[in-house]
Amino acid sequence: RFSSGRRRRREPAAEGSPPGDHGSMRCQQVIVQYFARRAELVGLRSENLLVPQQITSLQLWEEIVKIHPR
C-alpha cells in the first residue's frame, strides 16, 4: 500500500552490495492487495510480484496494468 502516509523503515543493504548500489538488478517480492472494484476486475484479493528493488510506485502501477489491463 502506498497511500498510508507512513514512512517505511529502510531495510539494510543486501549482503555483498554497497549502500546506494543502484546499478544492481536485485529483485524483491512485493505483495499487492486489491480492494473493491479492482479486486473484481483482477479476480484476486492479493498477489505476489517480483520487482526490481529500485522501483517507484508509478513503475509498479505500470507493471500491474500490463499484467491486468482491465
Side-chain angles (χ1 to χ4, degrees):
R1 294 177 14 193
F2 295 101
S3 61
S4 69
R6 289 193 219 167
R7 286 188 158 208
R8 299 208 312 169
R9 194 170 50 129
R10 288 189 72 119
E11 296 296 322
E15 186 175 325
S17 70
D21 180 23
H22 301 292
S24 66
M25 284 302 297
R26 293 202 167 96
C27 293
Q28 65 183 353
Q29 190 171 20
V30 174
I31 300 170
V32 179
Q33 295 181 327
Y34 301 105
F35 299 93
R37 181 71 176 140
R38 301 257 190 252
E40 292 175 12
L41 290 171
V42 172
L44 300 169
R45 289 284 182 194
S46 68
E47 68 180 328
N48 297 326
L49 298 178
L50 194 60
V51 297
Q53 283 185 338
Q54 301 299 322
I55 193 169
T56 65
S57 57
L58 177 60
Q59 290 168 326
L60 178 58
W61 176 254
E62 290 169 346
E63 288 300 312
I64 293 168
V65 171
K66 284 180 194 174
I67 296 168
H68 305 290
R70 291 183 58 190

